[in-house]
Amino acid sequence: MGVNLKDLITPECKLEIDDLRQLSGRIIAFDAYNALYQFLAAIRQTDGTPLMDSKGRITSHLSGLFYRTINFLENGIKPIYVFDGKPPEIKRKELEQRRIRKERAAKMAEKAYSEGNIEEASKYVVQAIFLTDEMVKEAKELLDAMGIPVIQAAEEGEAEAAYIAKKGLAWATASQDYDSLLFGAPRLVRNLTITGKRKLPGKDIYIEIKPEIIELEKLLKTLGITHEQLIDIAILIGTDYNPDGVEGIGPKTAYQLIKAYGSLEKIIKSPHGSHISEDLIKIKNYFLNPVVVDVERIEWKEPDTNRIKDLLVREHDFSIDRVENALKRLEKAYREYIKGRPSSLDQWFKYGKK
DNA sequence: CCTCCCTA
DNA sequence: TAGGGAGGG
């Protein structure tokens, strides 16, 4: 699931956020699939079952998206949700592996349940989660009704989000994965759709999860490398397009090799790289030149409360009281932060300068 | 994940 | 008034 740059990111490249208010006024391009998966994983009863309507359809993703997005807006954050399109051909192997892992997890969950091992079962249930076309469609519908921009990527959502941020239409991307940095996003915010405390595996210790900003320029400067070299290191470690990475190479070796040889191409030609496939160059090219759709400007709309109520209350049995309460907050946030305000940085500069 | 309600 | 716990769909 995404590239693992964790070991390369030193504390000085990260800026921790204590309060969402610190992101007030910022336009943030969310990886929608990433957010939806997190809601599906997190929004569950104590026994592990997700929220469901009376017809047995899962609604955890809608609940999470609805309330969390309103919280962002109330804090002055303007979200954009970017949805994945058709996966690129080079991702096929990873997707196949994921499918197998999920099927296996689903079987393990069933087994654990039948043996009465509920805790273990819910662990596997979370691993087996997948987004259906219906879930994606309804998430888009909900966001559109809320007046939140939905961007349909041609291929990778992370690539599209990075493109939007590079262009200045968003201040940062948001995801748990680091891929958007490889696609050139100037800033990545992590831990924005998860909050609170997370249990350390195996122990009874909880650590508080805070949002963090990673700046691409700062990361490159700290490591003393270029953007292309960061991509090279990621490929050596392993990305969604070469999930296993290069045998025998972890973060440290990858960094040292790039520092010593300068590029993936040169490593491949060196004695160190005789076993490294030339195909990896294709991956580098994809990170440098992903397929994206052009976006000219991004607009927020007035929330359509009737449409939201149709979807959440009538269709999916949300409590009318809770939804109406939230809608009041949504409308207030809309008036306060969006209505009558410029919708892109371009316009902000225009109006801002007078 | 979220809101809501209860308790101190 | 804040903070834990239950329940949301």
Side-chain angles (χ1 to χ4, degrees):
Chain A
M1 249 123 289
V3 61
N4 190 6
L5 296 182
K6 192 174 80 236
D7 297 319
L8 292 171
I9 295 170
T10 55
E12 67 256 41
C13 310
K14 286 190 273 192
L15 182 71
E16 275 202 354
I17 302 283
D18 297 307
D19 186 346
L20 282 185
R21 276 270 148 215
Q22 289 171 258
L23 296 172
S24 191
R26 303 302 192 187
I27 297 171
I28 297 183
F30 285 79
D31 177 350
Y33 274 63
N34 193 269
L36 292 176
Y37 268 111
Q38 276 181 355
F39 294 138
L40 285 174
I43 303 175
R44 285 170 183 271
Q45 316 269 64
T46 28
D47 67 354
T49 52
L51 300 185
M52 285 183 290
D53 65 19
S54 56
K55 289 179 181 158
R57 295 173 296 188
I58 294 174
T59 54
S60 294
H61 58 303
L62 295 176
S63 177
L65 196 60
F66 181 57
Y67 293 114
R68 190 67 175 139
T69 300
I70 291 172
N71 278 334
F72 288 143
L73 293 166
E74 278 186 315
N75 282 281
I77 298 169
K78 293 172 81 172
I80 301 166
Y81 286 89
V82 183
F83 285 79
D84 280 351
K86 181 172 79 64
E89 183 55 36
I90 49 172
K91 204 178 188 178
R92 184 173 287 200
K93 192 177 164 195
E94 163 71 9
L95 291 178
E96 181 60 15
Q97 283 184 12
R98 272 185 211 176
R99 195 181 60 78
I100 292 166
R101 273 201 305 272
K102 282 182 193 293
E103 274 174 15
R104 198 181 309 149
K107 282 203 188 98
M108 294 295 282
E110 225 165 290
K111 184 165 169 273
Y113 262 123
S114 68
E115 288 166 4
N117 203 335
I118 305 299
E119 198 173 326
E120 184 156 307
S122 51
K123 191 183 79 191
Y124 286 119
V125 162
V126 167
Q127 283 176 28
I129 292 169
F130 62 95
L131 271 173
T132 65
D133 292 348
E134 188 66 18
M135 288 176 183
V136 171
K137 190 176 142 238
E138 290 194 325
K140 287 176 182 171
E141 261 172 41
L142 174 62
L143 289 167
D144 189 57
M146 291 173 78
I148 308 299
V150 168
I151 307 284
Q152 177 59 59
E155 296 189 347
E156 295 283 35
E158 299 254 6
E160 186 72 33
Y163 159 81
I164 286 167
K166 264 199 283 191
K167 201 171 170 178
L169 290 170
W171 179 76
T173 57
S175 174
Q176 288 309 95
D177 294 337
Y178 297 97
D179 301 55
S180 66
L181 292 172
L182 299 184
F183 288 117
R187 249 172 248 96
L188 163 67
V189 190
R190 298 187 68 241
N191 302 341
L192 214 42
T193 41
I194 54 169
T195 52
K197 291 173 173 143
R198 190 192 276 164
K199 196 171 183 288
L200 280 177
K203 294 176 188 164
D204 250 350
I205 304 166
Y206 289 82
I207 48 161
E208 214 196 319
I209 304 290
K210 285 182 184 173
E212 61 188 26
I213 303 169
I214 301 160
E215 256 187 78
L216 179 60
E217 269 313 310
K218 205 162 190 183
L219 176 63
L220 298 177
K221 216 175 220 174
T222 309
L223 294 172
I225 57 174
T226 65
H227 176 220
E228 279 198 37
Q229 287 175 320
L230 182 69
I231 295 170
D232 289 347
I233 292 171
I235 292 170
L236 289 168
I237 302 171
T239 70
D240 278 353
Y241 315 124
N242 62 324
D244 305 321
V246 175
E247 211 188 325
I249 300 183
K252 274 194 180 156
T253 313
Y255 179 69
Q256 283 163 2
L257 284 172
I258 284 300
K259 281 303 229 183
Y261 291 96
S263 73
L264 181 60
E265 289 87 340
K266 284 178 184 161
I267 294 170
I268 291 176
K269 286 191 194 117
S270 81
H272 270 114
S274 49
H275 64 300
I276 301 177
S277 164
E278 296 255 354
D279 287 352
L280 296 187
I281 306 299
K282 278 188 214 149
I283 297 172
K284 179 172 180 169
N285 289 334
Y286 190 77
F287 279 120
L288 289 171
N289 275 307
V291 182
V292 292
V293 292
D294 197 23
V295 176
E296 280 308 319
R297 56 176 219 278
I298 292 168
E299 279 173 345
W300 285 260
K301 294 182 300 183
E302 187 168 356
D304 183 339
T305 54
N306 284 329
R307 232 178 110 207
I308 296 169
K309 277 195 261 185
D310 275 344
L311 182 66
L312 296 183
V313 180
R314 256 184 282 280
E315 191 66 24
H316 290 297
D317 308 313
F318 278 55
S319 137
I320 181 133
D321 288 349
R322 283 187 181 216
V323 169
E324 280 182 341
N325 225 323
L327 286 178
K328 277 192 203 120
R329 290 166 46 208
L330 173 62
E331 289 180 300
K332 183 164 177 280
Y334 172 77
R335 286 194 302 269
E336 211 163 324
Y337 296 109
I338 294 174
K339 195 181 175 185
R341 294 205 177 208
S343 59
S344 77
L345 291 181
D346 255 18
Q347 288 182 32
W348 186 83
F349 283 122
K350 236 186 274 169
Y351 291 105
K353 278 181 184 163
K354 289 221 165 136

